[in-house]
Amino acid sequence: MSEVDAASIHGAVRPEGNNHCPFTRGASPHATQNACKMCTPLGAALAFAGVEGCLSILHGSQGCATYIRRYLISHFREPMDIASSSFSEEDAIFGGGRNLKIGLDNVCAAYHPLLVGVATTCLAETIGEDVPQILREYRESRDNETIPQIVHVSTASYSGDHWDGFHKTVRALVEQLAFEPVGVATETPSINLFGGMLSCEDLRYLKRSCEEVGIKAHLIPDYSETLDGGSWSAYRRIPDGGTPSASIVGSSASMASITLGALSSIHPESAGAFLHRRFAVPHLSMPLPMGIEDTDRFLSQLAFLARGDVRPWHPDTSVLFLNPETESERSRLIDSYVDGHKYVAGKRVAVFADPDLLAGLGAFLSETGLVPVLLATGSKVANTGPLVRRIASSDGSVPVLLTGVDHALIADRCRELRPDLIIGNSKGYPIARELGVPLVRCGMPIHDRIGAQRVLHLGYSGAQRLYDQIVNTLLEHRQDGSETGFSYL
Ligand code: SF4
């Protein structure tokens, strides 16, 4: 069995210890070392940041809000306020309901939010706080007219990660705000678009794509402006932008929902699945539009919907209609694959990312002639089938697939597999430096570069940007390592 034919490993337990770690050498370690995931309420805070006029409050210890703010601010380079109910030792024993009610009063007085998102932290979940009951008491004790809408989501970090927290929150928003449609008839066809955890530029791409075919899309959530807005002359406590609550309320009357992401779209607890079950809104699922094939698929599906046809995309029935500009983008991308092929063919790549981005990157790399040898995610993925189907290497080999793993294990496998390139977030820098290979930064968090929120991964233009970056990174690495140096390729 060759290295790339090695069996996939699922779960966080390292098989035979970490021979590079003096503490675990020769034994299976029981603790995560350098987690390849972020905490569950972080995903909740990110999703709430994509709703117009929304402020998050974390129910639990104050440090959780501080950590999450620090992570999101350093990635998005935007101010981000997240309130906390700030448990004391006493609250950790007797419950923090009183703190949450006072916190809600303070948040309403200081921020005047249109909506408050309440997410729990590990401590509140561990002591079994009944947040729905606390919120019922709060609403009853205040004049309902004067308090904003409140959406609650349970986000214990020991039973999930940021990816779960994000999707649970999107689902909670729809579940708690969407109403039975009453005689709603839209002149412009409207769809719900659940894009997932993407960059701000990706969200803008999705909105542009819908506009181009004349579809009104409720993008839920949409933090493209709230976390990547222009400069302000005066500080705003809650930035402009975000999905209006009315769009979430009206999501039950849309002609269809699209959930993007190879893994998110099949999740039975997704917001799209809920709308289908509760309001019979047709639910269409597809991978992230990364690379040529999946972008073709996404744009074909939008073209169907623009004609009022809610059939799911199928290769036998789909015809690709592109406007001349998009057609040129696609054509230039194919041309660039030809131009760059001699520089990337057979280059071995290790990738780590959130599950949907990982599947998208795997499919994109396979399309280009690069060979993914390792695909890893810190998230625990119950059904790896869609991931496996999207990552066949261009040379027919099978990459090592790791799910629910930490950076220590990813680093171990990188040492064994010796990739030419690593693709992942800033957390991949230490192993890239150790192995002397370049790191192409993708996903989240990116703490050691600016512009992470403007990285476009989607569409033909996103694939073009990523492809050029990968080819040039490999060329630069060759140039830097050349004894003679060369300036013509
Ligand atoms: S205690 Fe839990 S919720 Fe708080 S920062 Fe840590 S993992 Fe996240």
Side-chain angles (χ1 to χ4, degrees):
M1 188 180 279
S2 72
E3 278 178 336
V4 287
D5 289 330
S8 303
I9 297 169
H10 310 296
V13 179
R14 223 165 269 112
E16 280 303 328
N18 172 3
N19 289 328
H20 301 270
C21 171
F23 301 105
T24 62
R25 191 174 291 139
S28 289
H30 298 290
T32 296
Q33 296 173 52
N34 198 3
C36 183
K37 58 184 180 179
M38 296 168 285
C39 86
T40 315
L42 182 146
L46 179 58
F48 282 135
V51 180
E52 187 180 34
C54 181
L55 191 95
S56 301
I57 177 163
L58 299 189
H59 187 42
S61 22
Q62 191 178 357
C64 305
T66 308
Y67 148 69
I68 289 170
R69 287 180 57 244
R70 181 232 173 271
Y71 251 62
L72 292 175
I73 289 170
S74 86
H75 179 84
F76 289 99
R77 313 275 167 174
E78 291 285 2
M80 177 137 192
D81 286 9
I82 298 175
S84 168
S85 58
S86 292
F87 275 31
S88 63
E89 288 88 343
E90 215 171 81
D91 302 315
I93 297 165
F94 299 110
R98 187 174 152 270
N99 289 36
L100 181 56
K101 291 170 190 169
I102 294 171
L104 285 166
D105 279 343
N106 289 341
V107 156
C108 294
Y111 289 84
H112 306 290
L114 301 174
L115 186 140
V116 178
V118 179
T120 44
T121 66
C122 296
L123 179 54
E125 289 288 336
T126 303
I127 64 168
E129 284 282 83
D130 187 350
V131 176
Q133 176 60 24
I134 296 169
L135 295 179
R136 258 192 305 277
E137 289 169 9
Y138 180 74
R139 289 189 188 98
E140 282 164 16
S141 64
R142 272 48 172 192
D143 178 359
N144 250 331
E145 295 298 311
T146 62
I147 59 172
Q149 289 173 304
I150 303 172
V151 170
H152 157 245
V153 60
S154 164
T155 44
S157 213
Y158 43 77
S159 64
D161 61 18
H162 60 291
W163 188 65
D164 298 305
F166 184 90
H167 289 293
K168 278 185 93 170
T169 304
V170 177
R171 155 92 181 221
L173 283 162
V174 169
E175 208 168 16
Q176 295 171 42
L177 296 181
F179 281 115
E180 194 76 46
V182 187
V184 180
T186 48
E187 285 175 18
T188 312
S190 84
I191 61 165
N192 307 315
L193 186 51
F194 300 106
M197 285 189 64
L198 296 168
S199 76
C200 297
E201 194 61 37
D202 288 330
L203 296 177
R204 286 189 280 267
Y205 165 80
L206 293 178
K207 288 192 286 187
R208 270 198 314 275
S209 299
C210 292
E211 277 165 23
E212 275 170 20
V213 294
I215 290 182
K216 183 180 170 199
H218 304 306
L219 180 60
I220 306 172
D222 174 11
Y223 44 84
S224 60
E225 297 306 314
T226 52
L227 292 179
D228 191 24
S231 68
W232 301 331
S233 51
Y235 184 69
R236 297 174 197 163
R237 294 206 152 188
I238 300 181
D240 293 341
T243 310
S245 290
S247 293
I248 306 174
V249 172
S251 60
S252 52
S254 292
M255 65 184 285
S257 303
I258 296 182
T259 301
L260 296 178
L263 278 301
S264 299
S265 60
I266 56 159
H267 200 291
E269 293 304 307
S270 72
F274 166 78
L275 287 170
H276 180 233
R277 201 165 50 245
R278 177 83 177 270
F279 302 109
V281 179
H283 185 209
L284 306 163
S285 309
M286 60 183 57
L288 289 175
M290 294 185 71
I292 294 171
E293 193 181 331
D294 289 341
T295 302
D296 287 355
R297 186 173 175 170
F298 173 64
L299 296 180
S300 299
Q301 185 68 74
L302 287 187
F304 270 17
L305 292 167
R307 299 197 303 267
D309 185 346
V310 293
R311 267 180 308 161
W313 176 91
H314 190 277
D316 296 339
T317 53
S318 296
V319 183
L320 188 59
F321 293 109
L322 300 177
N323 65 39
E325 198 181 320
T326 312
E327 179 77 57
S328 299
E329 264 178 23
R330 186 178 187 277
S331 183
R332 282 196 296 270
L333 177 60
I334 294 170
D335 187 49
S336 72
Y337 281 5
V338 176
D339 294 342
H341 188 258
K342 61 186 170 184
Y343 305 118
V344 301
K347 293 288 181 195
R348 297 156 58 80
V349 192
V351 189
F352 67 92
D354 295 337
D356 292 324
L357 184 59
L358 187 68
L361 284 166
F364 160 72
L365 292 173
S366 303
E367 212 175 67
T368 60
L370 287 142
V371 179
V373 292
L374 172 66
L375 292 141
T377 178
S379 298
K380 289 182 179 161
V381 178
N383 177 5
T384 53
L387 196 50
V388 172
R389 278 196 291 280
R390 305 210 59 73
I391 55 174
S393 299
S394 53
D395 69 352
S397 61
V398 180
V400 173
L401 172 63
L402 304 174
T403 65
V405 292
D406 59 18
H407 277 291
L409 182 50
I410 294 171
D412 276 353
R413 300 314 294 262
C414 283
R415 290 182 191 106
E416 291 164 21
L417 294 166
R418 308 301 298 186
D420 298 299
L421 177 74
I422 297 176
I423 299 179
N425 59 48
S426 297
K427 300 286 183 179
Y429 179 66
I431 185 62
R433 183 182 163 107
E434 179 190 319
L435 298 180
V437 296
L439 169 71
V440 167
R441 288 162 178 79
C442 264
M444 183 178 165
I446 295 179
H447 297 311
D448 59 348
R449 293 288 184 275
I450 67 158
Q453 69 277 47
R454 289 182 293 278
V455 172
L456 179 63
H457 305 87
L458 305 187
Y460 306 124
S461 44
Q464 183 71 79
R465 188 208 60 77
L466 195 53
Y467 186 70
D468 289 347
Q469 188 185 3
I470 288 172
V471 177
N472 287 330
T473 300
L474 287 167
L475 289 176
E476 186 180 342
H477 187 63
R478 262 178 66 192
Q479 257 178 330
D480 290 349
S482 160
E483 275 182 19
T484 53
F486 52 86
S487 57
Y488 187 85
L489 291 159

